[in-house]
């Protein structure tokens, strides 16, 4: 044991390692003096536009009704029943879900009437590191998804490592693995990248891809740009017009080389641009969007009373001459004590690791 300790001390206690340690210490001290903010994650680099203003995550059609019963706020525990009819998506006619959340753990399960089963389990190791697992089983027996995420949030950077359907059952490593890193360079500018390694089976060759991204945050605006290995360039612009009004632009341009285009002198170009705005009223929120494909969409969320809210969605596709309409009713039931707990909740308390 003494020989092993002495051998390790030779590796760590030498002039070369001392120089490396001094350089790292000096770099860390200078970096801390910059007081750079955390830039967020690569997945949410355009969150203000794609997940807050535009309607991609909100649009639906048909009729929906959600009934939620809240049993506790700290820890969070609720169950819900969801009914849908006439929708164009893949929502089942009925779905039951339950949710439990504390500052350390978050669990959620969903069971649909069509046999779809999904489960989420997140664990917070400390304030910086969170592990997220997501499993889905689709009807038919041959379809399923297993996803494991590890997200680390530093003071001025964010790093993530994801695995989709990882397996060693075939005698080797298969699946899709994604690693990303986003670093603040200045108080407003952040640069990052995303690397992908995938292998569908041992009889297939591994495939790799590398993407780059940048984000700049001004006083009341945010601009992002992403360059993907598949030849796709994406850019977004978000601006706070007033206290209640936000606007955003999302542009995607794909350079898709094909034989016919190369004969004409270059790759084909295909792109779409969407412009949207969000207006927050006292008890409602209105979103509107128009894109270059000829679609005009709007969504209105209105809270009638504390437990009841209505959502209306509409979309007109000028190119296809089609229209979609959706109406949703949400009812959340909670006792008076729980409502008082929610109002008196400490804003500095760490939320569940969603």
């Amino acid at each position: 044991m003494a020989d092993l300790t002495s051998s390790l001390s030779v590796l760590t206690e030498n002039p070369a390692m001392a120089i490396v340690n001094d350089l790292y210490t000096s770099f860390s001290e200078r970096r801390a003096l910059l007081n750079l903010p955390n830039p967020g994650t690569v997945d949410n680099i355009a969150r203000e536009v794609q997940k807050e203003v535009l309607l991609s995550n909100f649009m639906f059609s048909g009729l929906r009704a959600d009934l939620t019963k809240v049993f506790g706020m700290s820890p969070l525990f609720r169950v819900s029943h969801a009914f849908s009819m006439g929708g164009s998506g893949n929502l089942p006619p009925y779905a039951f879900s339950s949710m439990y959340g504390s500052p350390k753990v978050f669990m959620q399960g969903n069971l649909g009437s069509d046999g779809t089963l999904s489960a989420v389990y997140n664990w917070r190791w400390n304030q910086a590191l969170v592990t997220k697992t997501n499993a889905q089983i689709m009807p038919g027996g041959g379809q399923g998804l297993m996803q494991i995420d590890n997200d680390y949030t530093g003071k001025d950077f964010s790093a993530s490592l994801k695995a989709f359907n990882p397996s060693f059952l075939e005698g080797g490593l298969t699946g899709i693995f994604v690693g990303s890193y986003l670093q603040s360079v200045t108080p407003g500018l952040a640069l990052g990248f995303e690397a992908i390694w995938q292998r569908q089976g041992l009889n297939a060759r591994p495939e790799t891809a590398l993407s780059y991204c940048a984000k700049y945050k001004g006083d009341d605006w945010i601009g992002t740009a992403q360059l993907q290995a598949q030849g796709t360039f994406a850019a977004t612009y978000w601006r706070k017009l007033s206290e209640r009004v936000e606007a955003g632009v999302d542009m995607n341009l794909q350079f898709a080389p094909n034989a016919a285009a190369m004969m004409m002198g270059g790759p084909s170009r295909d792109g779409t641009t969407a412009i949207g705005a969000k207006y927050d009223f006292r008890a409602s929120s209105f979103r509107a969007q128009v894109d270059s494909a000829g679609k005009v969409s709007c969504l209105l969320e209105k809270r009638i009373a504390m437990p009841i809210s209505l959502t209306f969605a509409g979309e007109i596709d000028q190119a296809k001459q089609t229209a979609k309409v959706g109406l949703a009713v949400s009812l959340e039931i909670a006792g008076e004590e729980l409502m008082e707990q929610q109002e008196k909740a400490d804003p500095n308390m760490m939320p569940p690791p969603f």
Side-chain angles (χ1 to χ4, degrees), residues 161-182:
L161 180 61
K162 302 180 181 180
F164 298 87
N165 290 339
S167 176
F168 288 95
L169 299 179
E170 298 182 15
L173 182 62
T174 59
I176 302 175
F177 301 87
V178 181
S180 61
Y181 183 85
L182 188 61

Side-chain angles (χ1 to χ4, degrees), residues 50-328:
Q50 297 177 351
K51 297 184 179 181
E52 295 293 338
V53 175
L54 299 185
L55 305 180
S56 302
N57 298 322
F58 300 95
M59 279 302 302
F60 66 97
S61 60
L63 300 177
R64 282 174 33 189
D66 299 326
L67 175 61
T68 302
K69 172 65 176 178
V70 181
F71 293 94
M73 297 300 301
S74 182
L76 175 64
F77 179 58
R78 62 176 62 183
V79 297
S80 63
H81 307 267
F83 305 87
S84 63
M85 182 178 62
S88 59
N90 56 355
L91 294 176
Y94 169 76
F96 171 81
S97 66
S98 61
M99 178 190 302
Y100 174 86
S102 69
K104 199 76 172 179
V105 64
F106 172 76
M107 295 183 293
Q108 183 177 9
N110 299 276
L111 177 62
S113 58
D114 59 350
T116 304
L117 176 64
S118 63
V120 175
Y121 180 81
N122 301 345
W123 177 264
R124 188 190 303 275
W125 301 94
N126 50 48
Q127 292 186 354
L129 180 61
V130 175
T131 297
K132 304 177 181 179
T133 58
N134 185 1
Q136 297 182 9
I137 300 177
M138 306 297 292
Q143 300 179 351
L145 172 66
M146 180 65 182
Q147 178 180 344
I148 303 174
D149 300 357
N150 294 279
D151 298 333
Y152 187 87
T153 304
K155 182 179 180 181
D156 58 0
F157 73 94
S158 295
S160 175
L161 180 61
K162 302 180 181 180
F164 298 87
N165 290 339
S167 176
F168 288 95
L169 299 179
E170 298 182 15
L173 182 62
T174 59
I176 302 175
F177 301 87
V178 181
S180 61
Y181 183 85
L182 188 61
Q183 171 72 56
S184 291
V185 180
T186 67
L189 179 63
L191 301 176
F193 69 91
E194 184 178 71
I196 301 176
W197 184 93
Q198 62 178 346
R199 191 175 189 181
Q200 301 298 331
L202 294 181
N203 56 351
R205 297 182 57 183
E207 299 179 4
T208 60
L210 188 62
S211 305
Y212 304 93
C213 60
K215 177 180 180 180
Y216 189 86
K217 183 176 183 180
D219 294 335
D220 57 356
W221 65 275
I222 298 175
T224 68
Q226 300 182 66
L227 179 61
Q228 300 179 0
Q230 297 83 357
T232 302
F233 175 76
T236 64
Y237 178 79
W238 173 88
R239 189 175 186 88
K240 188 80 170 179
L241 300 179
S242 66
E243 183 180 357
R244 296 179 178 270
V245 183
E246 307 173 22
V249 181
D250 185 10
M251 182 191 70
N252 288 272
L253 181 61
Q254 183 169 2
F255 298 89
N258 54 66
M262 294 301 292
M263 293 178 62
M264 298 300 295
S268 62
R269 298 176 178 88
D270 185 18
T272 58
T273 301
I275 303 175
K278 176 185 177 184
Y279 191 98
D280 290 323
F281 297 90
R282 183 180 62 85
S284 61
S285 178
F286 177 76
R287 293 177 174 89
Q289 173 184 321
V290 59
D291 60 26
S292 58
K295 292 183 180 180
V296 180
S297 310
C298 68
L299 185 137
L300 175 64
E301 297 174 303
K302 173 68 174 179
R303 180 171 290 276
I304 299 177
M306 283 302 294
I308 304 175
S309 62
L310 293 177
T311 303
F312 172 81
E315 179 184 275
I316 299 176
D317 193 331
Q318 303 288 348
K320 298 180 180 179
Q321 295 296 315
T322 59
K324 299 178 182 179
V325 177
L327 178 63

